[in-house]
Amino acid sequence: MRVSHLAILVRVLLILAPAHMAEAASPPQPTYGTAVVDGDIYDNSAAQTSATSESPQNGIALELICANASIDVHKSYAWTTGDGLHVGDVVTHTFTVTNTGKVILDSIAMVDDKSGQSQCFLGYLGVSGNLSMAVPAVLAIVPGGNWANYVGAAQDEVEYTLKNVTLQKKTPEILQCTDVFPARTITQQGICNIRLWWPLMYEIPGTTWTLCIRYGTQTPYDDDADGSNPPGCDHSNTWKWTVDTDIYGMIRLLALFHELPFGKEEVPLISDEVLYDILLEKLIQIRDLISVGDTANAGLMLEEFELMVMNACITVLPTRPNSTGFGTGITNSDENPACCKLLADAEYIGEKLGIYIQKK
C-alpha cells in the first residue's frame, strides 16, 4: 500500500494597503508563525521556517511561511460476511488518511498495487519475497524478455548475454507422511527449460525455490549495490521463495478442503461434516491459546488435532454422498493428499512455535 502523487499547494494572499493609509501608524511587528497585513494578524501555527518581506512604502510586513506536510495512514478491517474462518467470507479493509501537518493538502491518492494478486513474482517487480499464505496460492515466475525481470544489468540498461538459468526446488524433511512428501531436491536448467507456474495447495511449509541467473557483460559491470566486489564481466543473480503458514493459514486450508470436490460425486475432500466442525473448533481453540501465549496447552490440542486427522484418512472415494459415518473422512490419494498436507502443516506450526522439538 502506498500513497502516491502527493501534492502540497500553499497559497499566500497578499493584501496591499490602500493609498490613503500610507501614512497610518506603523503596524505591529510580525512574530514567528504569523503574517501581519494592514494591522490584521493572520495566524499559521504550522510554521517551521519563515522569511520576512517588508515594504517601506505602505508599511506592510508579511511573514512568508514554509510549512512541512505530514500525513498518517491507519489500516483497519471488519468482516462483511462471516468471521474469516470459512472460504468465501468477505473482509473489508479501511484505510484512514489523516492530515497531521496543519497545512492544506490536495490531490492525495491511495493506490493499492497488490490488490487482487494471489501470486508471487519477486525479482525486480516489487512484490514480497515470501509466498502468500492465501489458499490456494501460486508461485508465478515472470521472466520478461531475456529474463530481464531477474537480471540486475537489465535494470541498469547494461547489455548482457545469458549463460544459464537454474531453478532448484527443495522439499524439507518431515516426520510424517514421508512417502507422500519425501525430502528431495529437483533441479531444472536451461533458459527455456524452467517451469514458471507452481500451484501451492499441496506444497508443504518450508519448501523453497531458488532461481539463479548467470550472465555476462561485454564491459566490466558492478552488480552489487554495496560495492564490495569490483566490476566484472561474469555475473549471477539469485532469488529465493519459501512456503510459510500459521494457524490462520491452517483454518483457511481446512475450509478449502471442505469445499473442493473429491471425484465425480462432488463429495468434498473432507467429506465427514461432523469431523470438519470438530477440527475447525480445535484450530480455533489452538489459535486462542497461542494468542495468550499458552503454547503448552496449544501443543496438547495440536497433537489431538493430528491424531484425529490421522484416523480419518481415506484413499477411496465414498460410495455414497453421506454427510458422516462409514466411508467418509479426509482424502489422502496420490492426486489429493489433503490428509498429509494438514499433518505437515500442523507439524510445521508446532516446530515454529517451539511446541515440538526441531528437526536437525
Side-chain angles (χ1 to χ4, degrees), residues 9-264:
L9 304 181
V10 180
R11 300 178 177 88
V12 179
L13 179 62
L14 301 180
I15 305 177
L16 299 179
H20 67 273
M21 295 183 62
E23 296 180 2
S26 299
Q29 293 298 312
T31 58
Y32 180 82
T34 65
V36 181
V37 179
D38 287 346
D40 293 324
I41 299 177
Y42 296 83
D43 181 53
N44 187 341
S45 58
Q48 300 297 321
T49 59
S50 63
T52 301
S53 174
E54 296 184 357
S55 174
Q57 181 178 359
N58 54 27
I60 298 174
L62 175 64
E63 187 175 19
L64 303 179
I65 306 301
C66 297
N68 293 329
S70 177
I71 62 173
D72 176 72
V73 180
H74 176 72
K75 177 182 178 181
S76 60
Y77 75 95
W79 292 105
T80 305
T81 61
D83 54 8
L85 301 180
H86 302 86
V87 175
D89 290 350
V90 178
V91 62
T92 299
H93 293 277
T94 301
F95 296 86
T96 304
V97 182
T98 304
N99 181 2
T100 58
K102 298 181 181 180
V103 294
I104 298 175
L105 299 180
D106 195 4
S107 301
I108 301 297
M110 292 291 296
V111 179
D112 185 0
D113 59 357
K114 307 295 187 298
S115 178
Q117 292 185 357
S118 61
Q119 304 167 9
C120 185
F121 305 104
L122 197 58
Y124 294 98
L125 300 178
V127 181
S128 174
N130 282 337
L131 298 183
S132 169
M133 291 188 295
V135 179
V138 172
L139 167 59
I141 302 173
V142 183
N146 205 30
W147 286 89
N149 290 337
Y150 301 92
V151 173
Q155 309 308 306
D156 294 332
E157 299 183 350
V158 175
E159 292 187 4
Y160 64 94
T161 302
L162 284 179
K163 294 185 177 181
N164 193 25
V165 178
T166 302
L167 180 66
Q168 183 180 88
K169 176 189 174 185
K170 186 174 183 179
T171 304
E173 179 184 359
I174 59 176
L175 299 178
Q176 306 174 85
C177 297
T178 55
D179 56 331
V180 177
F181 299 120
R184 61 176 180 172
T185 299
I186 299 174
T187 302
Q188 296 178 338
Q189 292 194 58
I191 297 172
C192 301
N193 194 37
I194 304 298
R195 173 175 286 279
L196 305 177
W197 188 263
W198 297 84
L200 302 176
M201 188 167 71
Y202 290 124
E203 297 292 355
I204 64 175
T207 301
T208 60
W209 287 261
T210 303
L211 177 70
C212 182
I213 314 289
R214 291 190 63 245
Y215 62 96
T217 54
Q218 293 183 351
T219 58
Y221 165 65
D222 191 358
D223 58 7
D224 61 322
D226 59 7
S228 57
N229 297 314
C233 296
D234 191 17
H235 312 274
S236 65
N237 288 144
T238 302
W239 307 92
K240 187 175 183 179
W241 298 265
T242 303
V243 177
D244 193 16
T245 193
D246 58 14
I247 195 66
Y248 296 93
M250 277 203 71
I251 291 173
R252 293 192 295 270
L253 183 66
L254 189 77
L256 178 70
F257 287 165
H258 187 232
E259 295 193 4
L260 292 180
F262 175 26
K264 61 183 180 180

